[in-house]
């Protein structure tokens, strides 16, 4: 008798369905397609030589090689956690290594936090729109999404307060150069959101994946973690921050971290033990050496390169798009968010863009939990070359103008 998978697959795993857009975007991998879809780092900026030296040196040193190839503790290497604590301290967030857990990318942090804090029907506040990958992790727990509209300064406070007042106690937020909009919250909004969370005893899951990719010079805006004074006590605080080396060193390292009050870390460590024991020892060691060796110069190099690409994308949008299209003037990260006239469906536009002008992007609807955003799109400038960004935006603008005139 054959297995009846439909009956066997667990209730909460049934929500996992392949995205139709993902299939469509397979075409975007063809060389003739100019792709603003990916949202991945520019591979030309990977510090390949440094990693070659680091891995080589580790393997040539017998004792180090044996340590790096061995199992290690589920919390993550103490020296790497200390580096993260020092880096957080530089940003004004005083924490201890007992507040830091190393994860397989920030994505695993999202997954284990979802398992820790969510359950079927429990309210989860998300910004509209929000990072798709986070919602994929959350959705397996079947939460009740409570969407909060976003303004340029940050989430609409009255909506957030309403959600807290109705009982929601967990919010997923990205105050720095958000994926997908590229928006950053103002300092005043950060403080106000934290104040609300404190008043209602709520937790803010702060996704800081892009926080170091700031292109406007000067100091980065204070993170929610750094503003959360209560978190100076290792056992308290209203903010859990997710970080990663994926955008600043290389995503294939799969090194991220969760910084959280100790009771949260204690549970997450047990989940790591049950799930995959720990993050690759050799990659943790390599990431630590690379960060020590390369930062902050490498970060400056990344910022300079992405800043140029961002400038070219924004300028070309301004030069070519019709008046009824608007976009975010992103100050960091990898994304620009396009709002098209109501009559244009971005999903259909993608099909035509792939077919007619060989340009790819991600239709914005995928980033909303309530099916809205049909006339929005996410454009990433990180991985394409400058001349192709210019060319791709111009072609997309021509296509939109043609549709406007139809
Ligand atoms: C906002 C955001 N959070 C988390 C992640 C996951 O990153 P990681 O590679 O560290 O798992 C991404 C990746 O694109 C992201 O954009």
């Amino acid at each position: 008798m054959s297995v009846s998978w439909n009956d066997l697959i667990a209730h909460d795993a049934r929500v996992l369905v392949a995205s139709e857009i993902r299939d469509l975007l397979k075409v975007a991998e063809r060389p003739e397609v100019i792709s603003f879809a990916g949202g991945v780092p520019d591979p030309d900026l990977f510090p390949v030589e440094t990693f070659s030296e680091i891995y080589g040196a580790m393997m040539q040193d017998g004792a180090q090689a044996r340590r790096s190839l061995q199992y290690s503790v589920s919390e993550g290497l103490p020296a790497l956690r200390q580096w993260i604590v020092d880096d957080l301290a530089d940003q004004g967030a005083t924490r201890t290594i007992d507040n830091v857990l190393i994860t397989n990318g920030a994505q695993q942090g999202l997954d284990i936090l979802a398992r820790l804090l969510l359950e079927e029907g429990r309210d989860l506040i998300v910004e509209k729109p929000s990072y798709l990958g986070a919602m994929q992790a959350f959705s397996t727990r079947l939460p009740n999404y409570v969407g909060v509209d976003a303004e340029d300064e940050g989430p609409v406070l009255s909506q957030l307060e309403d959600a807290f007042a109705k009982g929601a106690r967990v919010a997923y937020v990205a105050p720095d150069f958000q994926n997908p909009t590229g928006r950053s919250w103002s300092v005043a909004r950060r403080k106000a959101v934290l104040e609300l969370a404190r008043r209602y005893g709520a937790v803010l899951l702060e996704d800081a994946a892009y926080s170091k990719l700031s292109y406007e010079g000067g100091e980065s805006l204070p993170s929610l973690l750094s503003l959360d004074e209560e978190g100076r006590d290792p056992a308290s605080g209203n903010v859990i921050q997710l970080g990663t080396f994926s955008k600043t060193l290389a995503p294939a390292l799969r090194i991220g971290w969760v910084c959280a009050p100790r009771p949260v870390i204690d549970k997450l460590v047990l989940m790591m033990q049950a799930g995959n024991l720990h993050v690759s020892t050799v990659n943790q060691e390599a990431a630590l050496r690379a960060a020590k060796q390369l930062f902050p110069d490498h970060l400056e190099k990344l910022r300079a390169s992405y800043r140029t690409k961002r400038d070219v994308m924004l300028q070309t949008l301004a030069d070519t798009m019709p008046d009824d299209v608007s976009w975010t003037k992103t100050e960091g990260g990898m994304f620009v968010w396009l709002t098209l006239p109501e009559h244009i469906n971005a999903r259909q536009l993608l099909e035509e863009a792939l077919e007619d002008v060989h340009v790819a992007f991600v239709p914005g609807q995928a980033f909303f939990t309530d099916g809205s955003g049909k006339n929005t799109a996410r454009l990433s400038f990180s991985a394409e070359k400058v001349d192709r960004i210019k060319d791709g935006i111009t072609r997309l603008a021509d296509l939109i103008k043609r549709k406007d005139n139809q």
Side-chain angles (χ1 to χ4, degrees):
M1 198 164 131
S2 58
V3 179
S4 170
W5 294 112
N6 276 347
D7 295 330
L8 205 57
I9 287 174
H11 178 54
D12 49 4
R14 287 187 203 158
V15 295
L16 298 169
V17 284
S19 143
E20 174 206 2
I21 303 284
R22 210 170 265 262
D23 289 342
L24 202 60
L25 286 173
K26 287 208 177 109
V27 183
E29 284 157 25
R30 293 197 204 136
E32 72 271 20
V33 174
I34 298 179
S35 181
F36 303 128
V40 296
D42 181 349
D44 289 343
L45 295 169
F46 292 151
V48 176
E49 271 177 33
T50 306
F51 276 115
S52 164
E53 284 161 20
I54 286 174
Y55 279 102
M58 263 198 288
M59 290 305 123
Q60 273 153 27
D61 173 346
Q64 178 63 54
R66 279 183 278 278
R67 266 199 310 278
S68 297
L69 294 171
Q70 187 55 282
Y71 286 114
S72 52
V73 293
S74 297
E75 288 87 341
L77 296 186
L80 178 58
R81 285 152 65 217
Q82 186 60 53
W83 183 91
I84 291 162
V85 166
D86 294 344
D87 191 54
L88 290 172
D90 287 347
Q91 298 161 42
T94 308
R95 297 296 184 274
T96 72
I97 75 163
D98 291 340
N99 295 116
V100 176
L101 166 75
I102 307 297
T103 55
N104 280 285
Q107 193 62 34
Q108 187 182 29
L110 291 166
D111 181 51
I112 54 180
L113 283 166
R115 285 198 275 140
L116 186 75
L117 299 172
L118 302 179
E119 56 193 9
E120 187 166 358
R122 183 176 287 186
D123 286 348
L124 170 65
I125 300 172
V126 291
E127 295 171 274
K128 287 170 70 177
S130 267
Y131 167 52
L132 179 58
M135 293 190 294
Q136 279 170 334
F138 301 148
S139 289
T140 59
R141 308 297 295 160
L142 310 173
N144 176 44
Y145 286 110
V146 182
V148 168
D149 288 317
E151 305 171 309
D152 281 344
E153 299 75 22
V156 176
L157 289 175
S158 57
Q159 293 183 17
L160 192 62
E161 170 142 34
D162 198 38
F164 284 146
K166 286 185 176 141
R169 289 293 175 267
V170 186
Y172 168 71
V173 293
D176 293 316
F177 322 122
Q178 191 219 26
N179 180 1
T181 61
R183 280 200 194 102
S184 273
W185 302 3
S186 67
V187 178
R189 195 62 60 96
R190 289 167 197 243
K191 290 182 177 163
V193 169
L194 184 60
E195 176 53 35
L196 276 180
R198 208 172 277 151
R199 195 179 319 148
Y200 285 92
V203 58
L204 302 171
L205 306 182
E206 177 182 42
D207 192 328
Y210 298 93
S211 62
K212 287 199 187 293
L213 296 182
S214 156
Y215 311 139
E216 295 306 319
E219 296 280 295
S220 296
L221 296 181
S223 63
L224 297 175
L225 191 80
S226 69
L227 294 169
D228 185 18
E229 299 274 335
E230 312 248 321
R232 287 169 182 254
D233 169 352
S236 358
N238 294 76
V239 179
I240 296 177
Q241 193 187 64
L242 296 119
T244 179
F245 280 130
S246 288
K247 320 295 173 184
T248 52
L249 287 175
L253 292 168
R254 304 309 305 131
I255 303 223
W257 55 91
V258 173
C259 180
R262 188 69 221 193
V264 172
I265 296 291
D266 287 345
K267 285 284 182 203
L268 294 182
V269 169
L270 297 175
M271 287 183 175
M272 287 295 290
Q273 273 168 12
N276 56 2
L277 297 181
H278 62 79
V279 175
S280 154
T281 317
V282 66
N283 285 356
Q284 288 188 67
E285 183 65 36
L288 172 63
R289 291 178 181 215
K292 279 187 173 166
Q293 216 170 301
L294 292 170
F295 290 0
D297 294 358
H298 180 64
L299 295 174
E300 270 316 316
K301 191 174 152 196
L302 297 183
R303 290 182 192 123
S305 174
Y306 290 139
R307 183 186 296 120
T308 304
K309 292 179 182 207
R310 185 274 318 251
D311 288 347
V312 168
M313 181 173 274
L314 291 182
Q315 190 56 52
T316 316
L317 285 164
D319 292 344
T320 61
M321 282 290 165
D323 289 345
D324 53 4
V325 176
S326 60
W327 54 91
T328 50
K329 316 290 180 289
T330 179
E331 298 186 346
M334 298 182 173
F335 308 103
V336 171
W337 182 251
L338 210 58
T339 304
L340 302 158
E342 292 284 342
H343 70 93
I344 296 184
N345 177 311
R347 166 80 178 66
Q348 274 165 15
L349 183 72
L350 172 63
E351 279 182 50
E352 289 169 47
L354 286 169
E355 179 84 19
D356 299 351
V357 294
H358 301 317
V359 171
F361 56 85
V362 183
Q365 199 182 356
F367 302 95
F368 291 84
T369 52
D370 61 2
S372 56
K374 286 196 178 62
N375 62 326
T376 59
R378 189 192 75 175
L379 303 175
S380 170
F381 50 80
S382 51
E384 279 292 3
K385 303 259 178 277
V386 163
D387 51 342
R388 280 169 60 98
I389 294 176
K390 227 186 246 181
D391 195 11
I393 295 292
T394 308
R395 288 195 224 168
L396 190 60
D398 287 344
L399 180 68
I400 293 170
K401 280 183 217 153
R402 263 185 272 149
K403 285 183 80 73
D404 260 356
N405 295 333
Q406 268 168 20

